[in-house]
Amino acid sequence: MGFVGEGSCSSGGDKGGCFIGGMKSLVRRKQVDSANSKSSSASGSSHQLAKALTIPHLITIGVGSTIGAGVYILVGTVAREHSGPALTISFLIAGIAAALSAFCYAELASRCPSAGSAYHYSYICVGEGVAWLIGWSLVLEYTIGGSAVARGISPNLAMLFGSPDSLPSFLARHTIPGLNVTVDPCAAILVFLVTGLLCVGIKESAMVQGFVTSVNVCVMAFVIVVGGYLGYKSGWPGYELPVGYFPYGVDGMLAGASTVFFAYIGFDSVASTAEEVKNPQRDLPMGIGFALSICCSLYMLVSAVIVGLVPYYAMDPDTPISSAFASHGISWAAYIITIGACTSLCSTLMGSIMPQPRILMAMARDGLLPSFFSDVNKRTQVPVKGTIATGLLSGTLAFFMNVEQLSGMVSVGTLLAFTMVAISVLILRYVPPDEVPVPSSYQEAIDSVSLRRSSCSSSSDMDVEKTKIPAVTSGDSTPLLGEISVGHPLVEKAAAKLSYLVRQRRKVAGWTIMFICIGVCIVTSAASIVNLSNPARYALSGIGGLLLISGLIVLTCIDQDDARHSFGHTGGFTCPFVPLLPIACILINVYLLINLGGETWARVSIWLVIGTCIYALYGRTHSSLKTAVYVPSTHVDEIYETSAISLAC
């Protein structure tokens, strides 16, 4: 039994050894939080969040973070340009695609219920380097997302007072002369108000978000009920079209589904609160599932009503719902719909700011960021310092910058997280980590367990040599083959072959998962690059498709690892249809990532380069795993028990 330390290289050491050590730091993985690991942390008591959330709280967080004001605009834009009357089916397909990621999140959230969401899962299943990039991307997502949402609130508030210029002077937008910068005091004030609310406590924040979300849902219910009545009276003119239900064909409907998929982004905020849930194994999967189901149902019902009230080509792309009601003589509905847009933006703003301090806290706990972000207020039991830092940054951006052109960067962080969560599910099922890190302070207990295990192993080997296996006998009890010793060449060969196959299964599964990811990248690239010639496109699609289908067949045929049953916290949700469902999730998310556009990726690349520099200069050298000792996962409990006994003595 070998126990491996992370190791380090001195300033005068071998450069090759330093390079190898640096590369190893990218793939080191942390342990799933457990009672042992938490108790071993000297500062663990000051890092505990409040266990206050239940299923209703999680549903309100999920629905509030997902349903933004975009739905009040999307139905018009997508119907006019892509789907036509088939917009409802587009929302359904997008909801099913989002559900694939939701299933993966539900399993990992219940097995690894700790703050950090996709960052936390990637760190456990993939490695430190990928986890850092995911966490850094999520920081960008929530910062830009919160600022963009806040900038969208003031125009909607102004509409409640009659016109875009109706807000009081201290809240209205102003352009700074000479700088061509439009400041938005209303957006900044709202960000600071939400930040203060989040500092009060997670339960209080969830209650307020629940109230705001309820108002938004009531507005959507008004649209569905009243719009349905108007459609019934008028005979649903939007569906009585000579072009039929699919004016842009199936391709247009699928293009619409790709567009409205981003309306489902937000349910992952539920996973970020995992550490604050009272019963995470039961409540987290149910909270994610119910939230996504409610959002999908509301989207489909609203879209079905609106595209039926007005022909798709006559829809107003900016105010489709208000104009649809106005065309039937109910102009006053615009005020109710504007209230829904304002409340949905406020709820989404809370959903954007809430997860980021918890991501920063998880990264700081692991040593990848300064400990400032990991401090939890003893009274409110929330990361107040991280929340204030997040609010100041988002509020400043919302005040000075129009971040609309940066909104595509929000989607990159979410889709990267969705992709890594699906990959983590495959790793969990087929190649779960068989070694976990233990603090170097447990070295004495590790040595004791290692010595004890070695002694037991030697004794067992001696006993096995003396063991005889009774041979098969005939009816008269006469041995047919005599007694065969365990040391017999045939038996040893069979045992060695069995052991070899067990070891190789993990290697085969690991390589297969990697080739599946390569195949997905090739297929989606071939489908997305418009300047690619047809022969090259077909060739790449064939190669990628072969890798993808072969990998799916291999993973389907081989057994999943038995260690998956004891990985993390047991008794929670189990993702169905593995490996098909995670692979489909990876394929969809990578396709959407590639199609976000070159400008978006250029901006994101700059952010990722900055993050890589921070990790190389700070995170890698301050990581809590730098001095950790990796031990077989089956020996962890024994090591902690041995240490506890020695301390008691």
Side-chain angles (χ1 to χ4, degrees):
M1 177 182 69
F3 297 131
V4 183
E6 184 62 33
S8 60
C9 53
S10 62
S11 58
D14 179 43
K15 292 183 178 180
C18 291
F19 175 77
I20 294 174
M23 294 302 295
K24 284 185 176 180
S25 68
L26 298 177
V27 296
R28 56 192 176 194
R29 299 186 285 191
K30 71 174 185 178
Q31 181 183 359
V32 179
D33 289 336
S34 63
N36 289 329
S37 62
K38 286 182 179 179
S39 63
S40 66
S41 176
S43 58
S45 59
S46 63
H47 290 174
Q48 298 305 303
L49 300 175
K51 292 277 188 182
L53 300 182
T54 58
I55 293 176
H57 297 122
L58 297 177
I59 293 174
T60 57
I61 291 173
V63 174
S65 301
T66 303
I67 298 182
V71 67
Y72 295 98
I73 300 174
L74 273 179
V75 291
T77 304
V78 178
R80 283 174 60 95
E81 299 178 1
H82 300 293
S83 302
L87 178 61
T88 305
I89 301 180
S90 294
F91 270 112
L92 175 61
I93 293 173
I96 293 172
L100 301 182
S101 295
F103 280 127
C104 297
Y105 264 99
E107 172 162 352
L108 291 173
S110 60
R111 284 183 177 270
C112 315
S114 188
S117 185
Y119 157 79
H120 181 61
Y121 314 144
S122 300
Y123 207 163
I124 292 171
C125 297
V126 184
E128 185 173 283
V130 172
W132 167 266
L133 291 179
I134 295 298
W136 191 244
S137 299
L138 289 175
V139 169
L140 174 68
E141 172 197 341
Y142 294 126
T143 301
I144 300 296
S147 302
V149 168
R151 293 282 292 204
I153 294 177
S154 53
N156 284 279
L157 281 177
M159 293 301 295
L160 288 177
F161 293 94
S163 70
D165 301 322
S166 300
L167 280 179
S169 178
F170 71 95
L171 293 177
R173 291 181 177 179
H174 301 280
T175 301
I176 300 177
L179 297 178
N180 196 26
V181 174
T182 301
V183 297
D184 193 336
C186 180
I189 291 173
L190 286 171
V191 170
F192 296 148
L193 287 176
V194 169
T195 301
L197 175 63
L198 292 174
C199 290
V200 173
I202 184 64
K203 189 173 183 178
E204 292 78 6
S205 304
M207 290 177 63
V208 173
Q209 189 172 26
F211 172 76
V212 177
T213 302
S214 298
V215 175
N216 183 28
V217 171
C218 288
V219 172
M220 298 184 76
F222 167 82
V223 172
I224 294 167
V225 174
V226 178
Y229 174 72
L230 293 175
Y232 175 76
K233 282 184 61 179
S234 61
W236 299 105
Y239 293 120
E240 298 294 333
L241 300 174
V243 293
Y245 198 69
F246 299 91
Y248 297 100
V250 176
D251 291 340
M253 182 195 66
L254 294 176
S258 298
T259 303
V260 301
F261 174 84
F262 297 101
Y264 290 95
I265 288 178
F267 69 84
D268 54 319
S269 297
V270 177
S272 69
T273 63
E275 197 169 322
E276 295 155 285
V277 179
K278 290 182 178 180
N279 187 352
Q281 281 70 47
R282 182 198 65 186
D283 295 354
L284 279 170
M286 295 182 70
I288 292 173
F290 282 131
L292 190 60
S293 300
I294 292 171
C295 293
C296 185
S297 300
L298 289 173
Y299 286 155
M300 291 178 64
L301 290 171
V302 168
S303 61
V305 167
I306 299 304
V307 297
L309 288 178
V310 181
Y312 71 94
Y313 52 81
M315 281 188 177
D316 186 331
D318 297 323
T319 57
I321 300 179
S322 301
S323 60
F325 276 81
S327 67
H328 287 75
I330 307 182
S331 300
W332 53 265
Y335 291 97
I336 297 178
I337 293 165
T338 303
I339 291 173
C342 291
T343 55
S344 65
L345 283 169
C346 291
S347 181
T348 306
L349 177 60
M350 293 183 64
S352 297
I353 296 179
M354 181 188 298
Q356 182 168 325
R358 286 149 182 83
I359 301 288
L360 295 174
M361 182 188 69
M363 298 174 76
R365 281 177 173 177
D366 298 326
L368 304 185
L369 287 177
S371 58
F372 168 87
F373 295 104
S374 65
D375 290 341
V376 175
N377 185 276
K378 293 182 179 179
R379 186 177 63 84
T380 62
Q381 291 186 283
V382 295
V384 171
K385 293 180 180 178
T387 303
I388 293 174
T390 297
L392 288 174
L393 179 59
S394 295
T396 303
L397 285 176
F399 181 76
F400 285 107
M401 291 180 61
N402 183 5
V403 293
E404 291 293 333
Q405 65 272 22
L406 305 179
S407 58
M409 300 170 71
V410 175
S411 302
V412 172
T414 300
L415 293 174
L416 282 175
F418 284 5
T419 303
M420 289 313 306
V421 166
I423 294 173
S424 297
V425 169
L426 290 177
I427 293 174
L428 184 154
R429 294 295 190 91
Y430 291 96
V431 281
D434 53 357
E435 290 185 341
V436 295
V438 173
S440 57
S441 57
Y442 286 82
Q443 187 63 56
E444 184 177 346
I446 292 171
D447 294 338
S448 175
V449 172
S450 178
L451 181 62
R452 185 161 61 245
R453 290 270 179 174
S454 299
S455 301
C456 292
S457 177
S458 300
S459 301
S460 299
D461 291 341
M462 293 178 63
D463 293 339
V464 166
E465 290 295 329
K466 299 176 182 179
T467 303
K468 302 292 182 179
I469 299 179
V472 180
T473 60
S474 62
D476 57 359
S477 299
T478 303
L480 297 178
L481 298 176
E483 289 188 340
I484 302 178
S485 171
V486 171
H488 191 278
L490 291 177
V491 178
E492 288 184 347
K493 185 177 180 180
K497 186 174 182 180
L498 179 62
S499 177
Y500 174 79
L501 290 175
V502 171
R503 293 195 306 271
Q504 292 305 305
R505 189 207 60 77
R506 287 180 61 90
K507 291 184 179 180
V508 169
W511 281 101
T512 301
I513 293 172
M514 187 187 73
F515 282 125
I516 286 173
C517 295
I518 294 174
V520 166
C521 292
I522 294 174
V523 168
T524 52
S525 299
S528 304
I529 301 176
V530 294
N531 297 326
L532 202 62
S533 63
N534 285 336
R537 189 187 306 275
Y538 296 147
L540 288 175
S541 298
I543 295 171
L546 180 63
L547 289 174
L548 194 57
I549 295 173
S550 300
L552 175 61
I553 293 173
V554 170
L555 290 185
T556 303
C557 293
I558 66 177
D559 292 331
Q560 298 182 25
D561 199 293
D562 289 336
R564 72 186 188 279
H565 298 299
S566 57
F567 184 87
H569 298 251
T570 58
F573 178 80
T574 300
C575 180
F577 307 116
V578 175
L580 178 61
L581 188 149
I583 292 175
C585 179
I586 296 169
L587 183 63
I588 292 170
N589 292 318
V590 172
Y591 175 78
L592 294 173
L593 274 170
I594 291 177
N595 283 277
L596 286 176
E599 292 184 0
T600 297
W601 274 107
R603 298 187 185 107
V604 171
S605 298
I606 295 173
W607 177 258
L608 294 180
V609 168
I610 295 172
T612 302
C613 294
I614 294 175
Y615 173 75
L617 296 175
Y618 183 90
R620 186 180 67 85
T621 56
H622 289 78
S623 172
S624 59
L625 299 184
K626 183 180 180 182
T627 59
V629 180
Y630 283 80
V631 302
S633 56
T634 54
H635 303 160
V636 173
D637 291 338
E638 186 177 356
I639 289 171
Y640 283 115
E641 290 172 2
T642 301
S643 176
I645 292 173
S646 63
L647 289 175
C649 295

